[in-house]
Amino acid sequence: MTDQPCPFCEIVAGRAPATYVHEWSDVIAIVPLNPVVEGHTLVIPKRHVADFTSDPAVSADAMLHAAQLMRWTDRPMNLITSRGAEATQSVFHLHLHLVPRTEGDGLALPWHSGRRKTHIHVHPDPPAIRDAIRDIRRHGLPPAR
């Protein structure tokens, strides 16, 4: 961990500048400092959570607001989030990148290494996902924050 303040918490608290795209009660959408394309937007929960696994409800709220924000357009787009430095996470506060795409834009996604593809076996029903699905079926979705 670092002793540096979280840059996204600083923005949320009003102690650091940002160009806001939209604000909800629990999430903000801002233009990143170095957008990779026109329209690149970060969707950031106001509550500090390290990544998308730290608090699934906060992650779901961020995703909901990202979808609401982009619902007006049918433009091709990547929605990207990362967990851990090895997965290209550089700010350890959950954030979703909305990256509009165009044919031939030249952007290479982080997982295009040029190496040969290998087969990765993923268990189709991990216990945590299975339990969450069971709880949702039994009790419904938790109320929106």
Side-chain angles (χ1 to χ4, degrees):
M1 279 307 262
T2 176
D3 291 334
Q4 298 295 317
C6 170
F8 295 151
C9 288
E10 292 294 297
I11 290 169
V12 167
R15 294 186 295 264
T19 301
Y20 278 66
V21 173
H22 195 77
E23 182 173 12
W24 298 267
S25 63
D26 56 346
V27 173
I28 62 172
I30 64 171
V31 176
L33 287 178
N34 298 302
V36 295
V37 295
E38 181 78 25
H40 181 183
T41 302
L42 298 179
V43 177
I44 305 165
K46 290 182 178 181
R47 181 169 160 225
H48 183 91
V49 296
D51 58 54
F52 63 90
T53 66
S54 298
D55 187 328
V58 172
S59 299
D61 286 343
M63 176 66 83
L64 171 71
H65 293 309
Q68 289 171 334
L69 187 64
M70 291 296 112
R71 191 172 180 172
W72 62 271
T73 182
D74 60 356
R75 187 171 179 193
M77 184 169 307
N78 289 117
L79 185 145
I80 302 169
T81 191
S82 301
R83 177 184 183 204
E86 300 82 357
T88 72
Q89 185 178 10
S90 59
V91 177
F92 293 86
H93 181 129
L94 172 64
H95 57 289
L96 310 175
H97 290 262
L98 298 171
V99 184
R101 302 302 300 266
T102 59
E103 187 173 340
D105 62 17
L107 290 179
L109 294 174
W111 50 83
H112 286 241
S113 67
R115 293 184 290 181
R116 273 187 349 175
K117 292 182 181 180
T118 58
H119 177 73
I120 299 173
H121 177 74
V122 178
H123 191 285
D125 190 16
I129 293 172
R130 183 188 63 236
D131 292 346
I133 291 169
R134 182 197 66 229
D135 290 346
I136 289 168
R137 286 181 179 150
R138 188 176 293 156
H139 305 290
L141 290 172
R145 295 176 188 215

